[in-house]
Amino acid sequence: MPGEPDRRLFSPPTRHAAAADDRLSADAALRSMSTGTALLWRGSYPTARRLLDAVNRRIPPPPPDDYPRYRADRARRARLLSLLYVPLDAGHVIPLRRAPDVRAACLAVYGPLREPAAVPLRELLGVLGAAEWRRRGVAVPALGARIHPHYGVFAPVRQEYVDLVAAAPLPGTDLAFDIGTGTGVLAAVLAHRGVARVVATDNSPRAVACATGNLARLGFAGRTEVVPADLFPRGRAPLVVANPPWLPGRPRTPLDHAVYDPGSRMLRGFLDRAPRHLTPDGEAWLVLSDLAEHLGLRTRTELLAWIAAAGLRVVGRTEAAPRHPRALDPADPLHRARAAEVTSLWRLSR
């Protein structure tokens, strides 16, 4: 939901900053960025985009199958590329030649801007991409409809985990909890399957607004409720479902929160608290990739120990192989782990 602008993002670079225009080469830009110098762009907008792409290509990739180096590379790459700024006038107008109209996209994310500012071009491109995702939506075959993600809310572009929830045998159809709902896609799948009432939770205000909008658009507003909560709502249900972030690690961007789970906090919190929110014959569905195991971040033994320590037992498990392009791309730095990855729906009971 829009609010006051984020001053961290919108503060013009004043320390270690230099003006730049169409005459700047990618090599010179990378040298400046590598010293921590921010570049405030004064040339044409299309040239700035080409420059950003060219600088990105000049940053050496990490070696294959080295996850620590991969994460360090992503952090360094993001830090460097975020040093190319474009100006914004009041009202989110870019005062550059051949610049697109970004007013609606920026207003939806940042709220009103009443004075000139600057924003990293990389960040701005993310805002524009998110606006397009939100406009077009993501097709979800299990629903026969589209889910419209908001900025900062992970889009359900990977369908295998959705298909697992769409196919698993329901323990009941009276009530279900969807923990960490995000866009609301799994809550929508459960309602689509005939669950009479679904309570979805998330601790992100953007996700709560996004899920509420998607469920209403799909015609499920009368049977679903989205509430802000850290994991569980009050009460018990025959079914509680969670698709926690799949990798232990520290998130660095808003979207990282859907991928990285510091100290496996959400995963372990879901397991530890699920028994208190299940009816006697209920099931907890844990949707989880084993990518962390292939990267050496977690072992299957640890996961099974956490399940047992929570007083839960495995009553069933279904699997799905990844279908996303990176799993099929030998050039991906983590190709070996991604190609071996399996996503599972663990059916757990007390």
Side-chain angles (χ1 to χ4, degrees):
M1 297 174 64
E4 287 302 308
D6 184 336
R7 307 317 290 179
R8 179 181 60 82
L9 293 173
F10 278 85
S11 297
T14 54
R15 298 183 60 194
H16 307 295
D21 58 26
D22 295 357
R23 297 170 293 180
L24 183 68
S25 70
D27 289 330
L30 179 56
R31 285 195 297 270
S32 294
M33 292 172 170
S34 297
T35 65
T37 300
L39 303 175
L40 184 57
W41 192 254
R42 299 300 187 189
S44 73
Y45 181 86
T47 304
R49 288 204 57 172
R50 289 194 293 271
L51 179 70
L52 192 69
D53 290 340
V55 170
N56 184 42
R57 291 194 298 271
R58 281 163 170 77
I59 302 173
D65 303 314
D66 188 334
Y67 180 72
R69 291 279 294 277
Y70 171 80
R71 283 226 74 190
D73 171 81
R74 285 176 61 89
R76 178 175 179 269
R77 191 177 298 266
R79 187 167 57 249
L80 289 175
L81 297 179
S82 294
L83 288 173
L84 179 59
Y85 283 73
V86 294
L88 283 176
D89 283 347
H92 301 293
V93 175
I94 302 176
L96 300 177
R97 299 188 309 278
R98 298 170 63 193
D101 185 346
V102 302
R103 291 174 295 178
C106 287
L107 181 64
V109 171
Y110 300 120
L113 181 67
R114 300 185 178 90
E115 57 188 31
V119 63
L121 176 57
R122 183 174 184 269
E123 164 70 16
L124 180 63
L125 293 175
V127 170
L128 296 178
E132 186 63 14
W133 274 111
R134 182 169 177 175
R135 183 186 69 81
R136 295 173 53 195
V138 179
V140 180
L143 288 172
R146 289 182 173 269
I147 288 288
H148 296 261
H150 292 194
Y151 175 81
V153 182
F154 196 75
V157 291
R158 293 187 57 165
Q159 298 292 313
E160 59 264 26
Y161 76 94
V162 179
D163 293 341
L164 287 171
V165 173
L170 292 168
T173 57
D174 294 337
L175 174 64
F177 295 160
D178 175 24
I179 310 304
T181 192
T183 61
V185 62
L186 295 186
V189 168
L190 294 172
H192 181 71
R193 294 191 62 188
V195 177
R197 182 167 176 260
V198 181
V199 180
T201 69
D202 208 292
N203 60 8
S204 163
R206 290 190 186 278
V208 170
C210 179
T212 299
N214 278 315
L215 291 167
R217 186 181 298 108
L218 293 168
F220 298 136
R223 293 195 285 128
T224 60
E225 180 184 8
V226 186
V227 298
D230 185 10
L231 296 179
F232 288 89
R234 294 181 179 178
R236 297 174 181 266
L239 175 62
V240 296
V241 179
N243 175 35
W246 291 348
L247 297 178
R250 181 171 63 88
R252 295 188 174 100
T253 69
L255 282 181
D256 274 358
H257 288 276
V259 179
Y260 296 102
D261 185 11
S264 299
R265 174 189 173 275
M266 182 177 175
L267 170 59
R268 300 192 68 175
F270 172 76
L271 292 173
D272 290 343
R273 293 167 58 182
R276 301 198 298 269
H277 293 276
L278 283 175
T279 57
D281 297 323
E283 291 185 6
W285 287 3
L286 173 64
V287 185
L288 194 66
S289 158
D290 66 356
L291 182 61
E293 298 174 20
H294 296 292
L295 294 174
L297 304 176
R298 181 175 60 235
T299 68
R300 178 61 56 89
T301 300
E302 284 178 308
L303 176 61
L304 293 175
W306 294 342
I307 291 172
L312 296 167
R313 59 188 179 89
V314 179
V315 296
R317 181 163 68 96
T318 51
E319 299 179 346
R323 302 194 297 267
H324 58 91
R326 286 194 293 179
L328 307 175
D329 181 7
D332 186 278
L334 302 180
H335 172 68
R336 184 179 298 177
R338 295 193 197 280
E341 178 189 8
V342 170
T343 301
S344 297
L345 187 154
W346 298 78
R347 293 174 48 224
L348 311 173
S349 70
R350 295 191 291 172

